mmCIF file of all heavy atoms in Angstrom:
data_model
loop_
_atom_site.group_PDB
_atom_site.id
_atom_site.type_symbol
_atom_site.label_atom_id
_atom_site.label_comp_id
_atom_site.label_asym_id
_atom_site.label_seq_id
_atom_site.Cartn_x
_atom_site.Cartn_y
_atom_site.Cartn_z
ATOM 1 N N ASP A 108 18.505 -0.067 -11.985
ATOM 2 C CA ASP A 108 17.288 -0.845 -11.728
ATOM 3 C C ASP A 108 17.003 -0.992 -10.238
ATOM 4 O O ASP A 108 15.842 -0.981 -9.817
ATOM 5 C CB ASP A 108 17.398 -2.231 -12.368
ATOM 6 C CG ASP A 108 17.107 -2.198 -13.865
ATOM 7 O OD1 ASP A 108 16.994 -1.093 -14.425
ATOM 8 O OD2 ASP A 108 16.987 -3.282 -14.464
ATOM 9 N N LEU A 109 18.043 -1.158 -9.428
ATOM 10 C CA LEU A 109 17.841 -1.289 -7.987
ATOM 11 C C LEU A 109 17.107 -0.071 -7.437
ATOM 12 O O LEU A 109 16.175 -0.207 -6.631
ATOM 13 C CB LEU A 109 19.194 -1.444 -7.283
ATOM 14 C CG LEU A 109 19.194 -1.410 -5.754
ATOM 15 C CD1 LEU A 109 18.332 -2.512 -5.175
ATOM 16 C CD2 LEU A 109 20.608 -1.510 -5.209
ATOM 17 N N LEU A 110 17.480 1.117 -7.892
ATOM 18 C CA LEU A 110 16.830 2.338 -7.407
ATOM 19 C C LEU A 110 15.460 2.535 -8.039
ATOM 20 O O LEU A 110 14.545 3.072 -7.394
ATOM 21 C CB LEU A 110 17.730 3.544 -7.645
ATOM 22 C CG LEU A 110 19.058 3.519 -6.880
ATOM 23 C CD1 LEU A 110 19.802 4.838 -7.056
ATOM 24 C CD2 LEU A 110 18.855 3.225 -5.391
ATOM 25 N N ASP A 111 15.296 2.120 -9.282
ATOM 26 C CA ASP A 111 13.953 2.148 -9.885
ATOM 27 C C ASP A 111 12.981 1.323 -9.052
ATOM 28 O O ASP A 111 11.842 1.726 -8.808
ATOM 29 C CB ASP A 111 13.989 1.587 -11.309
ATOM 30 C CG ASP A 111 14.457 2.601 -12.339
ATOM 31 O OD1 ASP A 111 14.035 3.769 -12.266
ATOM 32 O OD2 ASP A 111 15.233 2.214 -13.224
ATOM 33 N N GLU A 112 13.435 0.142 -8.641
ATOM 34 C CA GLU A 112 12.555 -0.739 -7.864
ATOM 35 C C GLU A 112 12.271 -0.152 -6.487
ATOM 36 O O GLU A 112 11.130 -0.140 -6.021
ATOM 37 C CB GLU A 112 13.181 -2.131 -7.728
ATOM 38 C CG GLU A 112 12.219 -3.200 -7.265
ATOM 39 C CD GLU A 112 11.000 -3.340 -8.182
ATOM 40 O OE1 GLU A 112 11.164 -3.622 -9.378
ATOM 41 O OE2 GLU A 112 9.870 -3.162 -7.669
ATOM 42 N N ALA A 113 13.298 0.355 -5.834
ATOM 43 C CA ALA A 113 13.099 0.980 -4.525
ATOM 44 C C ALA A 113 12.157 2.179 -4.639
ATOM 45 O O ALA A 113 11.340 2.432 -3.745
ATOM 46 C CB ALA A 113 14.445 1.407 -3.937
ATOM 47 N N LEU A 114 12.259 2.896 -5.742
ATOM 48 C CA LEU A 114 11.426 4.082 -5.939
ATOM 49 C C LEU A 114 9.945 3.726 -6.024
ATOM 50 O O LEU A 114 9.081 4.517 -5.618
ATOM 51 C CB LEU A 114 11.877 4.807 -7.218
ATOM 52 C CG LEU A 114 11.297 6.183 -7.512
ATOM 53 C CD1 LEU A 114 11.530 7.140 -6.362
ATOM 54 C CD2 LEU A 114 11.910 6.740 -8.798
ATOM 55 N N TRP A 115 9.643 2.532 -6.541
ATOM 56 C CA TRP A 115 8.244 2.104 -6.631
ATOM 57 C C TRP A 115 7.606 2.056 -5.242
ATOM 58 O O TRP A 115 6.447 2.418 -5.060
ATOM 59 C CB TRP A 115 8.152 0.730 -7.312
ATOM 60 C CG TRP A 115 6.738 0.342 -7.594
ATOM 61 C CD1 TRP A 115 5.953 -0.504 -6.864
ATOM 62 C CD2 TRP A 115 5.909 0.818 -8.664
ATOM 63 N NE1 TRP A 115 4.693 -0.594 -7.413
ATOM 64 C CE2 TRP A 115 4.645 0.211 -8.527
ATOM 65 C CE3 TRP A 115 6.133 1.682 -9.725
ATOM 66 C CZ2 TRP A 115 3.596 0.453 -9.407
ATOM 67 C CZ3 TRP A 115 5.081 1.920 -10.605
ATOM 68 C CH2 TRP A 115 3.842 1.315 -10.450
ATOM 69 N N ASN A 116 8.384 1.595 -4.271
ATOM 70 C CA ASN A 116 7.854 1.530 -2.903
ATOM 71 C C ASN A 116 8.016 2.854 -2.170
ATOM 72 O O ASN A 116 7.185 3.214 -1.338
ATOM 73 C CB ASN A 116 8.544 0.412 -2.123
ATOM 74 C CG ASN A 116 7.728 -0.038 -0.920
ATOM 75 O OD1 ASN A 116 6.650 -0.608 -1.074
ATOM 76 N ND2 ASN A 116 8.221 0.226 0.276
ATOM 77 N N LEU A 117 9.073 3.591 -2.481
ATOM 78 C CA LEU A 117 9.309 4.873 -1.820
ATOM 79 C C LEU A 117 8.183 5.860 -2.099
ATOM 80 O O LEU A 117 7.707 6.547 -1.191
ATOM 81 C CB LEU A 117 10.646 5.459 -2.286
ATOM 82 C CG LEU A 117 11.007 6.833 -1.735
ATOM 83 C CD1 LEU A 117 11.186 6.790 -0.211
ATOM 84 C CD2 LEU A 117 12.287 7.352 -2.409
ATOM 85 N N ARG A 118 7.743 5.938 -3.335
ATOM 86 C CA ARG A 118 6.657 6.874 -3.664
ATOM 87 C C ARG A 118 5.374 6.498 -2.920
ATOM 88 O O ARG A 118 4.622 7.381 -2.492
ATOM 89 C CB ARG A 118 6.429 6.908 -5.175
ATOM 90 C CG ARG A 118 7.577 7.546 -5.955
ATOM 91 C CD ARG A 118 7.137 7.897 -7.367
ATOM 92 N NE ARG A 118 8.226 8.312 -8.229
ATOM 93 C CZ ARG A 118 8.811 9.506 -8.216
ATOM 94 N NH1 ARG A 118 8.421 10.416 -7.347
ATOM 95 N NH2 ARG A 118 9.787 9.786 -9.065
ATOM 96 N N TRP A 119 5.127 5.191 -2.778
ATOM 97 C CA TRP A 119 3.973 4.785 -1.969
ATOM 98 C C TRP A 119 4.163 5.218 -0.524
ATOM 99 O O TRP A 119 3.246 5.787 0.104
ATOM 100 C CB TRP A 119 3.752 3.270 -2.021
ATOM 101 C CG TRP A 119 2.830 2.845 -0.920
ATOM 102 C CD1 TRP A 119 1.490 3.130 -0.844
ATOM 103 C CD2 TRP A 119 3.163 2.163 0.291
ATOM 104 N NE1 TRP A 119 0.973 2.649 0.350
ATOM 105 C CE2 TRP A 119 1.985 2.061 1.060
ATOM 106 C CE3 TRP A 119 4.354 1.628 0.793
ATOM 107 C CZ2 TRP A 119 1.959 1.436 2.302
ATOM 108 C CZ3 TRP A 119 4.334 1.011 2.043
ATOM 109 C CH2 TRP A 119 3.146 0.917 2.772
ATOM 110 N N MET A 120 5.334 4.985 0.036
ATOM 111 C CA MET A 120 5.586 5.359 1.425
ATOM 112 C C MET A 120 5.326 6.847 1.645
ATOM 113 O O MET A 120 4.726 7.240 2.662
ATOM 114 C CB MET A 120 7.014 4.997 1.841
ATOM 115 C CG MET A 120 7.271 3.508 1.949
ATOM 116 S SD MET A 120 8.956 3.109 2.501
ATOM 117 C CE MET A 120 8.845 3.514 4.254
ATOM 118 N N LEU A 121 5.740 7.677 0.717
ATOM 119 C CA LEU A 121 5.535 9.121 0.866
ATOM 120 C C LEU A 121 4.050 9.472 0.935
ATOM 121 O O LEU A 121 3.654 10.427 1.606
ATOM 122 C CB LEU A 121 6.214 9.869 -0.279
ATOM 123 C CG LEU A 121 7.746 9.863 -0.244
ATOM 124 C CD1 LEU A 121 8.316 10.397 -1.568
ATOM 125 C CD2 LEU A 121 8.284 10.688 0.926
ATOM 126 N N SER A 122 3.221 8.667 0.272
ATOM 127 C CA SER A 122 1.768 8.914 0.306
ATOM 128 C C SER A 122 1.150 8.533 1.642
ATOM 129 O O SER A 122 -0.003 8.868 1.913
ATOM 130 C CB SER A 122 1.072 8.141 -0.824
ATOM 131 O OG SER A 122 0.947 6.760 -0.494
ATOM 132 N N MET A 123 1.905 7.838 2.479
ATOM 133 C CA MET A 123 1.388 7.355 3.763
ATOM 134 C C MET A 123 1.639 8.338 4.906
ATOM 135 O O MET A 123 1.349 8.034 6.059
ATOM 136 C CB MET A 123 2.020 6.000 4.094
ATOM 137 C CG MET A 123 1.574 4.875 3.183
ATOM 138 S SD MET A 123 -0.142 4.370 3.476
ATOM 139 C CE MET A 123 0.027 3.481 5.029
#
Side-chain angles (χ1 to χ4, degrees):
D108 280 9
L109 172 59
L110 296 187
D111 279 318
E112 195 57 59
L114 189 56
W115 188 260
N116 201 67
L117 177 64
R118 291 196 189 283
W119 165 69
M120 291 182 75
L121 290 169
S122 77
M123 291 289 286

